[in-house]
Amino acid sequence: MTNKKSKIIKTYVWSFLGRANHWLLVASFFACYISSFYENLLLLHVSLGYFVFAMFLNKIVWGLIGPKYAKWTDYKFALNDLKLYFITKIKDKYREIEVGHNPASSWFSFLITWIGIFSCVAGIVLYGVQEGNGILSFLNIKYYSYMYLFESIHIITVYILIAM
């Protein structure tokens, strides 16, 4: 009696640059969040914020030029597919899992990226308006009265990202 072993085929789905971008983004976002609680670390917070912004922009570019599973065109955004994904997930926990992004992770990645970019832009505007520093420092005099609005937008979007 012979025992047939099934051949295991490895597929590398996530590229090195994709993984590096992901973990650099996670670490720098966390460090940026922690530094926000200390006024004397404002320059570090802003520097990390620009780095987080660059990582989000890199994610968008990588989604355009990267390998197959990193491309935005490989993501599944159809709402019917999302509904079917959750129904199948609930009904059959032993289902075959597809390689790449499923509809839920596609939407999650898309939302994290764009909410993150919005949060970074709000932070850059806030830094210019509140502190009169950074690339938008010229907004300080004209929009200083809106400082709390920009601060609220920045803080709310950060907490949305943390919750996600």
Side-chain angles (χ1 to χ4, degrees):
M1 186 169 146
T2 60
N3 186 2
K4 275 189 163 180
K5 291 184 179 180
S6 62
K7 186 177 180 181
I8 297 174
I9 300 171
K10 288 185 178 183
T11 303
Y12 293 97
V13 176
W14 314 120
S15 66
F16 174 76
L17 185 59
R19 289 173 192 257
N21 186 74
H22 173 80
W23 288 110
L24 282 170
L25 180 58
V26 169
S28 57
F29 178 83
F30 179 72
C32 194
Y33 175 72
I34 296 301
S35 67
S36 71
F37 292 103
Y38 302 96
E39 276 191 47
N40 60 328
L41 296 180
L42 180 61
L43 185 58
L44 175 64
H45 176 75
V46 171
S47 300
L48 287 166
Y50 278 117
F51 186 75
V52 167
F53 186 52
M55 292 291 97
F56 278 124
L57 293 179
N58 184 51
K59 187 172 170 54
I60 290 175
V61 171
W62 195 239
L64 297 172
I65 65 170
K68 178 185 178 351
Y69 298 113
K71 290 196 185 232
W72 293 108
T73 55
D74 192 59
Y75 284 43
K76 298 160 185 77
F77 291 117
L79 292 177
N80 281 337
D81 290 345
L82 183 64
K83 178 182 170 185
L84 183 63
Y85 170 78
F86 282 116
I87 290 170
T88 307
K89 186 176 177 72
I90 292 167
K91 286 184 178 179
D92 183 11
K93 72 177 187 177
Y94 300 107
R95 73 202 178 285
E96 187 174 321
I97 297 173
E98 292 181 40
V99 176
H101 285 93
N102 60 53
S105 65
S106 295
W107 277 102
F108 187 80
S109 182
F110 177 81
L111 289 172
I112 283 268
T113 301
W114 289 102
I115 292 170
I117 286 172
F118 188 70
S119 180
C120 291
V121 169
I124 292 167
V125 170
L126 177 63
Y127 190 55
V129 169
Q130 184 178 27
E131 301 295 324
N133 287 321
I135 60 175
L136 299 179
S137 60
F138 63 92
L139 298 175
N140 177 256
I141 295 169
K142 189 171 183 181
Y143 295 101
Y144 189 78
S145 61
Y146 295 100
M147 173 184 63
Y148 294 111
L149 172 66
F150 297 124
E151 182 178 41
S152 296
I153 291 169
H154 184 57
I155 291 170
I156 289 167
T157 54
V158 165
Y159 281 109
I160 289 170
L161 290 170
I162 289 171
M164 289 177 79

